[in-house]
Amino acid sequence: AAEFISEFPSSKVVIVEPKIFSPNGDGFNDRLLIKLSPGEPDQLVNIWIYNESGLEIKRLANNLLIGTQDVVEWDGTTENHQKAGLGIYIIQVELFGLQGKRTQFKTACVLTDRLE
Protein backbone atom coordinates (compact mmCIF):
# COMPACT_ATOMS: atom_id res chain seq x y z
CA ALA A 1 0.00 0.00 0.00
CA ALA A 2 1.35 3.39 -0.97
CA GLU A 3 1.99 5.66 1.98
CA PHE A 4 1.44 8.96 0.20
CA ILE A 5 -2.29 8.34 0.11
CA SER A 6 -3.03 9.10 3.75
CA GLU A 7 -2.93 12.88 3.95
CA PHE A 8 -5.92 13.25 6.24
CA PRO A 9 -5.35 14.31 9.81
CA SER A 10 -5.58 11.37 12.18
CA SER A 11 -9.11 12.42 13.06
CA LYS A 12 -11.94 10.27 11.81
CA VAL A 13 -13.89 13.21 10.41
CA VAL A 14 -13.39 12.13 6.82
CA ILE A 15 -12.70 8.54 5.79
CA VAL A 16 -12.36 7.57 2.14
CA GLU A 17 -12.67 3.93 1.19
CA PRO A 18 -11.74 1.88 -0.61
CA LYS A 19 -8.54 3.76 -1.45
CA ILE A 20 -8.45 1.81 -4.71
CA PHE A 21 -11.78 1.42 -6.49
CA SER A 22 -12.85 0.06 -9.85
CA PRO A 23 -16.12 1.46 -11.22
CA ASN A 24 -16.50 -1.32 -13.81
CA GLY A 25 -19.90 -2.58 -12.70
CA ASP A 26 -18.72 -5.92 -11.35
CA GLY A 27 -20.25 -5.22 -7.94
CA PHE A 28 -16.89 -5.14 -6.16
CA ASN A 29 -15.50 -1.77 -5.01
CA ASP A 30 -17.47 0.01 -7.74
CA ARG A 31 -17.92 3.19 -5.73
CA LEU A 32 -15.70 5.38 -3.65
CA LEU A 33 -17.32 6.13 -0.31
CA ILE A 34 -16.51 9.42 1.39
CA LYS A 35 -17.64 8.92 4.99
CA LEU A 36 -18.19 12.14 6.89
CA SER A 37 -18.41 12.25 10.68
CA PRO A 38 -18.10 15.91 11.70
CA GLY A 39 -19.47 15.09 15.14
CA GLU A 40 -22.01 17.88 15.10
CA PRO A 41 -25.15 18.33 13.01
CA ASP A 42 -25.94 20.89 10.33
CA GLN A 43 -22.62 21.06 8.54
CA LEU A 44 -22.31 22.13 4.94
CA VAL A 45 -19.91 20.09 2.85
CA ASN A 46 -18.20 20.79 -0.45
CA ILE A 47 -16.34 18.01 -2.24
CA TRP A 48 -14.18 18.36 -5.32
CA ILE A 49 -12.40 15.68 -7.33
CA TYR A 50 -9.18 16.66 -9.10
CA ASN A 51 -7.05 14.68 -11.51
CA GLU A 52 -3.29 14.25 -11.12
CA SER A 53 -2.69 17.52 -12.99
CA GLY A 54 -4.81 19.39 -10.46
CA LEU A 55 -7.73 19.99 -12.81
CA GLU A 56 -11.18 19.77 -11.28
CA ILE A 57 -13.10 16.96 -12.96
CA LYS A 58 -16.14 16.81 -10.69
CA ARG A 59 -17.94 18.81 -8.04
CA LEU A 60 -19.32 16.00 -5.93
CA ALA A 61 -21.04 18.11 -3.29
CA ASN A 62 -22.00 21.78 -3.37
CA ASN A 63 -23.02 23.15 0.03
CA LEU A 64 -24.65 19.82 0.85
CA LEU A 65 -26.23 19.79 4.30
CA ILE A 66 -25.10 16.73 6.21
CA GLY A 67 -25.83 15.28 9.62
CA THR A 68 -23.45 14.02 12.28
CA GLN A 69 -22.69 11.05 10.05
CA ASP A 70 -23.14 10.92 6.30
CA VAL A 71 -21.75 9.27 3.21
CA VAL A 72 -21.17 10.77 -0.23
CA GLU A 73 -20.41 8.36 -3.08
CA TRP A 74 -18.34 8.88 -6.21
CA ASP A 75 -19.15 6.54 -9.07
CA GLY A 76 -16.00 7.40 -11.02
CA THR A 77 -17.64 9.75 -13.50
CA THR A 78 -16.66 13.29 -14.41
CA GLU A 79 -18.82 16.41 -14.39
CA ASN A 80 -20.11 15.62 -17.90
CA HIS A 81 -21.00 12.03 -16.94
CA GLN A 82 -18.06 10.48 -18.77
CA LYS A 83 -16.06 7.74 -17.11
CA ALA A 84 -12.96 9.20 -15.53
CA GLY A 85 -9.70 7.73 -16.78
CA LEU A 86 -7.60 5.35 -14.77
CA GLY A 87 -5.17 6.92 -12.35
CA ILE A 88 -4.80 8.85 -9.14
CA TYR A 89 -7.39 11.42 -8.08
CA ILE A 90 -7.31 13.98 -5.31
CA ILE A 91 -10.38 14.41 -3.16
CA GLN A 92 -10.79 17.73 -1.39
CA VAL A 93 -13.42 18.00 1.32
CA GLU A 94 -14.43 21.26 2.94
CA LEU A 95 -16.72 21.40 5.97
CA PHE A 96 -18.50 24.51 7.23
CA GLY A 97 -19.99 24.54 10.71
CA LEU A 98 -22.78 26.82 11.86
CA GLN A 99 -20.29 28.92 13.79
CA GLY A 100 -18.43 29.56 10.55
CA LYS A 101 -15.71 27.08 11.39
CA ARG A 102 -14.16 25.80 8.20
CA THR A 103 -12.06 22.65 7.96
CA GLN A 104 -10.45 21.22 4.87
CA PHE A 105 -9.24 17.71 4.15
CA LYS A 106 -7.36 16.30 1.21
CA THR A 107 -6.57 12.76 0.24
CA ALA A 108 -5.93 10.64 -2.81
CA CYS A 109 -7.59 7.59 -4.29
CA VAL A 110 -6.79 5.34 -7.21
CA LEU A 111 -9.29 4.56 -9.93
CA THR A 112 -8.44 1.27 -11.56
CA ASP A 113 -10.15 -1.05 -14.01
CA ARG A 114 -9.84 -4.36 -12.26
CA LEU A 115 -8.88 -5.46 -8.80
CA GLU A 116 -7.06 -8.75 -8.65
Side-chain angles (χ1 to χ4, degrees):
E3 280 308 307
F4 68 90
I5 284 181
S6 56
E7 293 171 21
F8 279 137
S10 57
S11 76
K12 299 283 181 261
V13 175
V14 181
I15 297 171
V16 171
E17 59 187 30
K19 289 289 191 205
I20 300 174
F21 78 119
S22 55
N24 54 13
D26 67 355
F28 180 68
N29 287 354
D30 281 332
R31 290 174 182 275
L32 184 77
L33 303 181
I34 301 166
K35 300 180 176 180
L36 305 161
S37 309
E40 47 192 82
D42 302 326
Q43 299 256 337
L44 293 177
V45 65
N46 293 304
I47 303 174
W48 298 267
I49 313 276
Y50 299 95
N51 65 14
E52 281 177 278
S53 309
L55 296 172
E56 180 184 330
I57 63 149
K58 179 123 178 165
R59 181 77 181 259
L60 201 58
N62 189 2
N63 289 330
L64 179 70
L65 185 65
I66 61 166
T68 49
Q69 285 198 315
D70 234 310
V71 175
V72 178
E73 296 186 355
W74 182 36
D75 60 2
T77 60
T78 63
E79 202 61 62
N80 53 10
H81 309 295
Q82 304 295 310
K83 280 191 173 183
L86 306 183
I88 296 171
Y89 290 89
I90 307 297
I91 297 141
Q92 182 175 343
V93 178
E94 187 177 64
L95 287 166
F96 285 97
L98 287 178
Q99 286 76 38
K101 191 179 109 188
R102 188 179 116 175
T103 43
Q104 286 192 312
F105 303 88
K106 225 178 221 180
T107 192
C109 68
V110 177
L111 192 161
T112 185
D113 183 36
R114 181 159 290 127
L115 293 174
E116 296 307 325

